[in-house]
């Protein structure tokens, strides 16, 4: 089975991609984008491998690259409003990742199942709905293993994790506490069983904590990545 692994991005726009989630091997690293960009990882060309992207919150521009190395963006477009948070996932189950939007001041999600091109705007969303509390941090995963990604939210102040398995406004289908205040969350299929579960990066001790089920409890794996990273992203397995 193919498993995901964890990536982390530092304040200099340097991506660090670990080849496994339980052995602490040395990460591959490269630069992409500008410091201050919102780091992304997704399968933009549908070849089965996640590669980097950056979202520039100041002007809404998205820069995507189809190789895990330093270089310029091969796909460029803009969408959303300044301050929007990008969401990466395969939201319609077609095998390709796209970039959607979470608007934190409204708690609103906009799902878009295509990528833009040629420095142009992306157009309107296929689906939009309200979910969760404004200010909670979004993350994406296929939590029920049906082949389609949906959106979860993480309340960093308390460690509350909650998500739905559909794109519509309603109460969370799953809610649990995992981790400590200030942890950074990402979801992935760490064990190759077909469904996504959370992992946390803890900036204060530099540790990554990986959970193989969606529920409260201790991490199943952990490894030391180092302190000071700004964001956690989903990375391809080596």
């Amino acid at each position: 089975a193919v498993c995901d692994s964890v990536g982390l991005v530092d304040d200099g726009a340097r991506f660090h991609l670990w080849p496994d989630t339980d052995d602490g091997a040395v990460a591959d690293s490269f630069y992409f984008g500008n410091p201050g960009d919102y780091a992304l990882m997704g399968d933009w060309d549908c070849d089965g491998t996640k590669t980097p992207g950056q979202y520039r919150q100041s002007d809404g521009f998205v820069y995507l690259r189809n190789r895990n190395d330093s270089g310029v963006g091969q796909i460029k477009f803009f969408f959303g409003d300044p301050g929007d948070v990008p969401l990466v996932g395969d939201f319609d189950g077609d095998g390709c990742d796209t970039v959607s939007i979470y608007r934190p001041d409204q708690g609103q999600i906009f799902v878009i199942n295509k990528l833009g091109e040629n420095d142009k705007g992306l157009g309107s969303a296929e689906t939009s709905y309200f979910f969760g509390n404004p200010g909670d941090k979004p993350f994406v995963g296929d939590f029920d293993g049906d082949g389609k990604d949906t959106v979860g939210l993480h309340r960093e102040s308390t460690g509350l994790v909650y998500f739905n398995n559909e794109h519509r406004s309603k109460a969370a289908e799953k809610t649990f506490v995992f981790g400590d205040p200030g942890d950074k969350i990402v979801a992935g299929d760490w064990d190759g069983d077909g469904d996504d579960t959370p992992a946390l990066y803890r900036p204060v001790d530099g540790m990554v904590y990986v959970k193989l089920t969606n529920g409260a409890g201790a991490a199943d794996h952990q490894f030391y990545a180092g302190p000071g990273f700004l964001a956690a992203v989903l990375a391809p397995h080596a």
Side-chain angles (χ1 to χ4, degrees):
V2 176
C3 304
D4 294 317
S5 61
V6 175
L8 297 170
V9 185
D10 65 24
D11 59 4
R14 188 177 185 183
F15 287 68
H16 303 255
L17 307 181
W18 273 263
D20 209 330
T21 57
D22 59 5
D23 66 3
V26 176
D28 293 327
S29 63
F30 56 88
Y31 292 93
F32 182 66
N34 293 344
D37 288 347
Y38 202 109
L40 316 173
M41 288 287 292
D43 182 4
W44 319 120
D45 59 0
C46 318
D47 69 348
T49 299
K50 295 183 184 300
T51 52
Q54 294 279 17
Y55 179 65
R56 200 151 290 161
Q57 287 184 306
S58 61
D59 60 11
F61 252 89
V62 177
Y63 302 88
L64 308 178
R65 185 164 173 78
N66 288 320
R67 294 166 52 113
N68 281 310
D69 57 14
S70 299
V72 299
Q74 296 164 306
I75 304 167
K76 296 184 290 181
F77 58 94
F78 64 90
F79 74 135
D81 295 340
D84 284 348
V85 176
L87 304 170
V88 174
D90 179 5
F91 301 108
D92 60 359
D94 68 350
C96 306
D97 287 338
T98 55
V99 185
S100 293
I101 289 173
Y102 176 66
R103 192 156 288 161
D105 60 342
Q106 300 174 5
Q108 191 169 11
I109 293 163
F110 300 85
V111 178
I112 304 165
N113 291 315
K114 60 186 178 183
L115 295 175
E117 59 184 351
N118 302 325
D119 296 326
K120 296 179 181 177
L122 190 52
S124 59
E126 278 89 0
T127 305
S128 65
Y129 59 99
F130 293 92
F131 180 52
N133 289 0
D136 289 349
K137 300 296 177 66
F139 66 107
V140 172
D142 179 8
F143 305 113
D144 61 357
D146 69 350
K148 297 180 181 180
D149 288 328
T150 53
V151 179
L153 290 165
H154 178 226
R155 193 162 298 161
E156 289 186 353
S157 61
T158 64
L160 180 67
V161 177
Y162 59 106
F163 59 77
N164 278 329
N165 292 314
E166 298 176 282
H167 288 295
R168 62 188 180 95
S169 296
K170 63 175 185 176
E173 295 175 38
K174 188 75 174 182
T175 303
F176 56 93
V177 173
F178 178 48
D180 293 344
D183 290 348
K184 308 297 182 184
I185 195 167
V186 63
D189 184 2
W190 317 119
D191 56 3
D193 69 350
D195 61 355
D196 291 345
T197 54
L200 298 170
Y201 168 66
R202 188 161 296 160
V204 295
D205 64 10
M207 296 293 294
V208 173
Y209 299 91
V210 178
K211 193 154 178 54
L212 301 180
T213 57
N214 282 308
D220 296 286
H221 301 293
Q222 63 187 58
F223 67 91
Y224 180 74
F229 292 104
L230 296 183
V233 294
L234 190 60
H237 193 274

